[in-house]
Amino acid sequence: MPEVQAEVRIRPLDELDIGSIVRIDERITGAYRPDLWEQRIGYYLRRDPEASRVAESGGRVVGFMLGDVRAGEFGIEEPGGWIERFGIDPDYRGRDLRTRLVSAILAHLRERGATKVRTLVDRKDAGVTGFLTALGFTPSPLQALERHIEPRESP
Amino acid sequence: MNVAEVTLEKKYHRAVEHWRRHWLPDYETLLAQWDRYFPQDEPFCLCAKMECGTPDRVAVGEHAGEAKRLAPDELSEEEARHLLAIIRAQASTEFGSIQQHSGTLARAQDDEDRFWVLRVMAEELRHGYQMFHLLLSQDWSKAAAGVRGEEMVEEILSMGTGSHVLDAFNLEYDSFVDNVCFAALVDRVGKYQLTMQKVCAYKPMADSMPPMLREEAFHLAAGVIPMRRWAKRAAQGEGFITMQGLQRSINKWYPRALEMFGDERGGDSNVRMGFKDMKNRQAQDLYIEEVRRMIRDINARYLRARFPGYTPEKSDQVLDEVERSRGRHDGVAFEDLLRLPDRRFFRRKGEPAWTMVGLEGESFAEVDDYLRHLAQRLPEAYLAGGDMKRYAETLRLVVSGQLGVEDAIRKMPRLKRVGGNCPCSRAVRWVVEEPAS
Ligand SMILES: [Fe+2]
Ligand SMILES: [Fe+2]
């Protein structure tokens, strides 16, 4: 894979990245989900195209991170950043792309006046949790809670 | 990223609102449904948005390193006139595209597609408003020897499809496919222009660009995403829109989009005066590569939908093979895929103006052969319209030597008389805010 050596550039997401993101997701999960990504990328582009970034090497997108600034959710009034999805082409792992993507997004969130950035992780996913901890993420006082909804249940 | 929002003086604001009631009658519906289609997004604001904290120094051209100009009087007369022409053209595109979109908007098959285009239209209105802010918030008359911003605004508001500055904005849409292909191809040129103008030596213009560019990112998505979905449905034999239908619309808009960059040999004064950071051909080359990527991406979407069992690698391989051989693969013909027209195809401005070059770059010697070639590749409704008729007449004159290429370039489009475009026949005079009678 000679292009692994090529220089990596981080830039804002655009609409022509959909195909590449679908492909990275497919390599990671084994599922081809273009409809999902068309819908999601439409969302991120209309919200704030600079809050999401891709990593490009030799003209090919090899990683992505989708983020957003929101206010008024969960009773938090001040604008806060969210990083919601990311993926790195398995051939490009171990090259610190996630760190570079996060840094680019943090710089943008700072410019937009956000003082906090949040994300949700699966506690069982030690890899992702470890990576986020290394980047300075700490457990939040806000805790994600969930419960099962039975198909037919009286209220 | 800090943005200051500015509103125009009341009479001008009202004039834009009045224009909007004619050309964007669904505006209120859009605002009422905003949260449904764009949940959590900032509400729409009809205002000028000025980015704060952009560079203070001129980045390119003969004034590089000097302080950016903050007022028209700091520009030379040549610069002021040149910049006003850029602002006028930009404003004309914003209002012009709304007029075009409004013609076929109701024909969208899908509500989401329709609301996306409606949002694009509202944002184009804001972009036009932004250009008006540049024309009206400062006095240009001294710098540009008597040119008054107010008169320019009045002229722009009275333009219609047929009297706009650039040809791409003088063609009617034939179907909702045009709404979408236009966003994917023509708004993409807009993205290039705005990106180049981020360096503008006139700071209020530079400050206007980043907020417009953020909105433009969505406009491109409003073009490309529906095209991808249509390609998928076409592959599955569903829906009314075929790949050939998409191709015909691309063939209609792509040549006009290329011409929006200006003559391939020009653009030096933009760079010299520090208004843009690329010359025409340089920007056009980048644009062409981007459209090539877009077409490749849509074709890949088509093939994967057609052959769900293929891996991405296999699908790529088939795409390369069919493109190279122009042959078939398991029922898919080369003609079922989209392709990038030659940059000289169907041109009437710029370096290849009035040459007879086909979609694949082949040359034609006879006008009739060429017109037949075009007839097989352009939307049927467009072929029947006035633009095509004028084009064919002019082409005959050029080929027979009765009309020089330069004169033919000036002849297209034949401008309608400006004015009187407001359907309520009160034109766009300022104080039009009486209750509708
Ligand atoms: Fe625009
Ligand atoms: Fe646009």
Side-chain angles (χ1 to χ4, degrees):
Chain A
M1 224 143 311
E3 78 258 61
V4 171
Q5 296 314 320
E7 180 120 359
V8 175
R9 181 168 84 99
I10 308 291
R11 61 158 175 82
L13 171 77
D14 74 43
E15 80 294 342
L16 298 184
D17 296 326
I18 298 173
S20 311
I21 291 176
V22 167
R23 189 172 276 214
I24 294 171
D25 174 55
E26 190 175 5
R27 286 205 71 184
I28 298 170
T29 65
Y32 175 61
R33 306 189 287 182
D35 302 286
L36 168 89
W37 291 106
E38 279 158 4
Q39 198 261 330
R40 291 317 289 161
I41 289 167
Y43 169 87
Y44 288 105
L45 285 175
R46 67 164 218 255
R47 304 266 312 160
D48 178 359
E50 290 150 293
S52 298
R53 303 280 161 142
V54 298
E56 202 180 58
S57 172
R60 197 159 80 81
V61 171
V62 296
F64 65 92
M65 190 168 281
L66 307 182
D68 189 16
V69 175
R70 296 203 290 262
E73 280 189 328
F74 310 114
I76 309 167
E77 286 312 322
E78 80 276 13
W82 285 86
I83 289 177
E84 290 169 317
R85 287 160 194 267
F86 56 84
I88 306 289
D89 184 320
D91 289 343
Y92 285 78
R93 296 235 167 110
R95 300 187 71 207
D96 230 15
L97 296 190
R98 288 195 293 200
T99 311
R100 291 184 58 192
L101 287 164
V102 170
S103 313
I105 291 179
L106 288 186
H108 176 72
L109 296 177
R110 196 174 298 121
E111 266 182 59
R112 288 215 38 196
T115 53
K116 262 207 176 93
V117 57
R118 300 181 171 87
T119 189
L120 287 174
V121 289
D122 184 340
R123 256 185 266 235
K124 283 175 281 182
D125 192 337
V128 172
T129 311
F131 150 73
L132 289 168
T133 309
L135 281 173
F137 282 79
T138 53
S140 161
L142 279 183
Q143 200 191 338
L145 297 177
E146 63 184 26
R147 69 156 284 188
H148 193 68
I149 305 172
E150 297 302 332
R152 254 172 288 124
E153 187 181 27
S154 48
Chain B
M1 174 179 111
N2 205 343
V3 171
E5 296 185 348
V6 196
T7 342
L8 297 179
E9 198 185 312
K10 220 171 199 166
K11 62 175 179 176
Y12 302 123
H13 185 89
R14 282 178 174 170
V16 176
E17 292 269 15
H18 180 92
W19 186 97
R20 184 265 288 163
R21 276 195 283 280
H22 288 303
W23 295 107
L24 189 40
D26 293 324
Y27 182 75
E28 305 294 344
T29 315
L30 170 70
L31 299 194
Q33 302 278 321
W34 187 268
D35 285 339
R36 180 164 164 213
Y37 289 94
F38 313 111
Q40 302 167 334
D41 284 14
E42 261 174 49
F44 177 75
C45 167
L46 183 58
C47 58
K49 296 182 181 177
M50 311 299 284
E51 183 94 346
C52 307
T54 63
D56 292 317
R57 300 267 149 200
V58 179
V60 294
E62 58 194 13
H63 300 299
E66 296 173 21
K68 280 199 179 183
R69 285 29 177 177
L70 302 175
D73 290 352
E74 297 168 31
L75 299 165
S76 71
E77 186 182 330
E78 188 201 9
E79 289 163 351
R81 285 181 173 276
H82 195 87
L83 182 58
L84 282 176
I86 294 177
I87 296 174
R88 176 173 174 266
Q90 182 75 48
S92 156
T93 68
E94 310 292 357
F95 289 99
S97 66
I98 300 170
Q99 292 169 323
Q100 290 167 295
H101 277 302
S102 70
T104 46
L105 178 70
R107 292 197 229 160
Q109 296 286 316
D110 182 285
D111 272 349
E112 186 180 73
D113 289 352
R114 191 159 57 88
F115 273 87
W116 281 20
V117 170
L118 257 177
R119 174 170 172 164
V120 169
M121 293 165 77
E123 288 174 348
E124 303 302 13
L125 187 73
R126 198 197 75 65
H127 297 175
Y129 191 98
Q130 182 94 28
M131 292 300 108
F132 284 1
H133 169 68
L134 298 181
L135 293 174
L136 296 167
S137 59
Q138 304 218 47
D139 183 6
W140 288 87
S141 62
K142 256 208 292 176
V147 178
R148 294 176 61 232
E150 181 173 299
E151 277 160 17
M152 288 183 68
V153 166
E154 191 168 354
E155 184 214 3
I156 292 160
L157 284 179
S158 71
M159 291 176 178
T161 312
S163 61
H164 279 286
V165 179
L166 300 169
D167 290 357
F169 300 84
N170 288 323
L171 304 178
E172 311 265 1
Y173 290 180
D174 302 313
S175 72
F176 190 72
V177 174
D178 279 346
N179 294 70
V180 162
C181 283
F182 186 94
L185 292 170
V186 177
D187 283 61
R188 190 175 304 282
V189 183
K191 178 184 85 169
Y192 274 85
Q193 299 293 1
L194 301 178
T195 306
M196 289 189 276
Q197 289 161 11
K198 266 163 76 169
V199 301
C200 189
Y202 183 65
K203 194 161 184 294
M205 180 73 164
D207 293 349
S208 298
M209 296 302 118
M212 289 169 76
L213 269 167
R214 265 172 228 129
E215 289 159 347
E216 218 54 60
F218 170 69
H219 302 182
L220 296 181
V224 169
I225 294 176
M227 277 173 96
R228 290 175 55 97
R229 290 174 175 157
W230 287 341
K232 166 195 144 187
R233 276 183 232 151
Q236 295 169 337
E238 291 167 13
F240 304 100
I241 295 153
T242 59
M243 293 293 267
Q244 287 81 3
L246 283 178
Q247 182 71 51
R248 282 173 187 257
S249 182
I250 292 171
N251 298 346
K252 172 181 170 182
W253 294 109
Y254 182 67
R256 304 289 79 77
L258 292 179
E259 288 166 356
M260 286 168 68
F261 287 94
D263 191 295
E264 281 83 348
R265 295 156 291 195
D268 305 66
S269 11
N270 287 327
V271 177
R272 177 172 53 84
M273 296 180 196
F275 295 150
K276 298 186 188 184
D277 60 359
M278 272 191 276
K279 295 184 191 179
N280 299 350
R281 190 194 305 273
Q282 195 187 354
Q284 199 197 51
D285 283 348
L286 293 175
Y287 170 84
I288 290 172
E289 280 322 301
E290 205 172 286
V291 176
R292 192 189 306 282
R293 272 209 291 141
M294 176 186 95
I295 285 179
R296 171 105 191 164
D297 199 43
I298 296 169
N299 281 338
R301 182 81 167 101
Y302 176 87
L303 279 183
R304 290 293 301 270
R306 189 74 184 253
F307 305 109
Y310 283 8
T311 61
E313 293 74 25
K314 169 78 180 168
S315 163
D316 274 354
Q317 193 195 323
V318 170
L319 189 49
D320 290 339
E321 196 183 289
V322 175
E323 273 177 357
R324 200 179 40 244
S325 67
R326 295 168 179 249
R328 302 178 74 84
H329 172 88
D330 202 0
V332 172
F334 176 62
E335 291 71 32
D336 295 327
L337 299 174
L338 300 182
R339 71 204 97 144
L340 182 72
D342 189 277
R343 66 196 295 168
R344 298 161 301 168
F345 170 72
F346 192 37
R347 292 284 302 273
R348 51 181 76 167
K349 296 261 162 80
E351 202 169 41
W354 304 103
T355 54
M356 295 190 284
V357 176
L359 194 71
E360 315 284 349
E362 65 275 41
S363 287
F364 287 79
E366 299 296 327
V367 175
D368 287 319
D369 293 342
Y370 189 54
L371 292 176
R372 249 191 312 278
H373 174 85
L374 293 179
Q376 286 157 5
R377 283 157 185 87
L378 291 164
E380 243 168 79
Y382 172 62
L383 291 169
D387 184 71
M388 196 60 203
K389 192 163 159 260
R390 276 191 301 279
Y391 170 80
E393 280 166 8
T394 311
L395 182 66
R396 285 186 198 284
L397 293 174
V398 173
V399 173
S400 66
Q402 290 168 268
L403 188 68
V405 167
E406 286 308 314
D407 293 324
I409 288 174
R410 275 192 292 276
K411 205 167 175 264
M412 294 295 288
R414 185 181 299 161
L415 294 188
K416 274 188 206 158
R417 210 164 55 82
V418 166
N421 260 303
C422 179
C424 76
S425 79
R426 283 195 209 98
V428 290
R429 289 286 155 192
W430 299 126
V431 197
V432 284
E433 200 59 13
E434 308 126 355
S437 50

